[in-house]
Amino acid sequence: MGQSRLGVIGYPIKHSLSPVMHTSWFNKYKLDNRYEMLEVPPDTLKATVKKFRSPEWLGFNVTVPHKVAIFSLIDEVDEKAQLIGAVNTVINHGGKLTGTNTDGEGFIQSLLHAGFSLTDKVQALIIGAGGAARAVGFALAKSGIKRLDFTNRTQEKAEALSEVAKEFTASSALSLSQAEEGLADYQLVINATSVGMEPFPDHIPLSLRHVMPGTFCVDLIYKPLQTLWLKEADSKRCQTLNGLPMLVYQGALAFKHWFGNMPEVDGVETLLVEYLNGNKQE
Ligand SMILES: NC(=O)c1ccc[n+]([C@@H]2O[C@H](COP(=O)([O-])OP(=O)(O)OC[C@H]3O[C@@H](n4cnc5c(N)ncnc54)[C@H](OP(=O)(O)O)[C@@H]3O)[C@@H](O)[C@H]2O)c1
């Protein structure tokens, strides 16, 4: 028996899309692997992580609320995860556990796949300053764009992210009203807050009153697939992207860490949409 087991740990974890996505790749590439969903309450995290050192485990994904707590329980955390301050993927090399984070690069790949060019002319704005904003923000800050600003309900958190981003590009922290007024300056605007997510889909994180037509608006949320904010962006003739492609690419990059190659991503989004639609009633 080789290293056959993979999984995701979180709490709670009922509706993770990762098993559907990874199992589709196992089937496609005829891999004899299994991807499990493991609900791990915080007080059992340490004991659970110990089990992942056994030879049958190839690695695992980590989701809320364990992305930070896992740091002290594994042997090595790579530079990407250190900078983001969160681990979402762990690889088991002969009992040694190494953590990384594929969210930021997953976002960048989803953006490029959607046809957005990250040039030195691009000015971008991130709404939010939580874990997703950190991952996406630092990857974007390092991508060679001209400027990356942050805005957030709690402005001090936006200031802290902007300070780190300044190591890589021009950056400021703005109040929500400053960001709203200045929207015409940005070619790329990203919602990295949870505002608009089910079960509260009737809210938007920032008014798009001043946005320019053609601006690329990305919402990291994928439940619902089209948030109220993306509908507003659509009505302003912006280009829009939901959070599902990022989810697929972060998963594909995790797969690459475990198996050595990037899997085919085409078709996976459709599969996940079908799955999400089939689970709407739950
Ligand atoms: N597509 C993907 O692959 C992917 C990956 C990761 C996350 N996400 C999505 O990204 C979103 C954020 O996740 P996260 O992990 O960053 O969460 P988080 O660390 O809890 O951060 C939440 C963010 O949302 C803001 N926020 C929450 N409630 C708010 C409200 N009522 N009004 C204004 N701002 C509010 C918070 O502002 P404060 O700082 O003021 O509290 C903070 O900026 C979620 O919807 C998640 O599903 C998507």
Side-chain angles (χ1 to χ4, degrees):
M1 246 340 242
Q3 288 183 300
S4 60
R5 294 176 78 180
L6 287 157
V8 53
I9 57 168
Y11 188 76
I13 197 158
K14 278 194 197 94
H15 296 294
S16 170
L17 295 175
S18 295
V20 181
M21 176 163 57
H22 285 284
T23 304
S24 79
W25 287 320
F26 299 162
N27 292 337
K28 184 177 177 72
Y29 299 110
K30 303 193 174 16
L31 295 169
D32 190 19
N33 288 81
R34 194 150 52 101
Y35 192 99
E36 300 163 39
M37 212 151 53
L38 303 162
E39 191 155 66
V40 179
D43 59 350
T44 64
L45 181 64
K46 195 172 173 183
T48 306
V49 171
K50 229 180 200 171
K51 288 187 203 153
F52 291 128
R53 295 180 190 278
S54 87
E56 61 187 330
W57 285 93
L58 186 49
F60 56 99
N61 284 128
V62 186
T63 187
V64 182
H66 304 314
K67 287 183 170 191
V68 179
I70 196 89
F71 269 66
S72 61
L73 303 174
I74 57 182
D75 306 296
E76 206 174 80
V77 175
D78 79 357
E79 217 177 298
K80 272 182 204 149
Q82 296 272 6
L83 181 65
I84 294 167
V87 162
N88 80 338
T89 301
V90 177
I91 307 112
N92 178 21
H93 294 291
K96 183 182 165 205
L97 300 179
T98 302
T100 185
N101 195 310
T102 62
D103 278 339
E105 203 183 329
F107 171 79
I108 298 286
Q109 294 216 9
S110 73
L111 201 58
L112 296 174
H113 185 77
F116 188 86
S117 298
L118 288 162
T119 69
D120 59 4
K121 307 252 180 326
V122 170
Q123 306 207 97
L125 172 72
I126 292 187
I127 314 159
R134 285 187 76 88
V136 165
F138 298 151
L140 256 185
K142 291 170 98 175
S143 72
I145 61 172
K146 184 177 177 188
R147 118 166 262 116
L148 175 63
D149 293 339
F150 292 88
T151 187
N152 190 44
R153 173 178 65 177
T154 313
Q155 206 183 329
E156 303 84 76
K157 289 201 210 162
E159 277 157 17
L161 289 202
S162 178
E163 279 310 307
V164 181
K166 270 181 197 159
E167 289 176 33
F168 310 109
T169 187
S171 179
S172 298
L174 309 173
S175 68
L176 289 166
S177 56
Q178 279 172 328
E180 259 174 31
E181 295 296 321
L183 269 186
D185 293 341
Y186 301 101
Q187 294 76 46
L188 176 63
V189 183
I190 300 143
N191 175 33
T193 74
S194 45
V195 179
M197 194 165 78
E198 280 165 10
F200 304 107
D202 301 328
H203 295 83
I204 57 166
L206 193 83
S207 160
L208 291 172
R209 227 169 347 130
H210 298 293
V211 81
M212 297 296 281
T215 302
F216 218 91
C217 293
V218 186
D219 200 325
L220 302 189
I221 294 172
Y222 50 86
K223 285 180 194 171
L225 287 166
Q226 195 189 29
T227 58
L228 191 59
W229 189 73
L230 277 192
K231 280 183 192 154
E232 187 172 326
D234 214 24
S235 75
K236 298 274 183 191
R237 288 182 288 129
C238 294
Q239 300 186 64
T240 62
L241 186 67
N242 68 27
L244 211 49
M246 169 175 165
L247 183 87
V248 173
Y249 276 101
Q250 66 74 31
L253 289 160
F255 183 100
K256 188 180 174 196
H257 278 290
W258 297 321
F259 295 99
N261 293 308
M262 195 74 178
E264 179 64 58
V265 293
D266 286 352
V268 178
E269 208 182 312
T270 311
L271 181 77
L272 297 184
V273 170
E274 281 166 12
Y275 180 82
L276 283 170
N277 289 338
N279 281 281
K280 254 188 186 155
Q281 263 62 274
E282 283 180 40

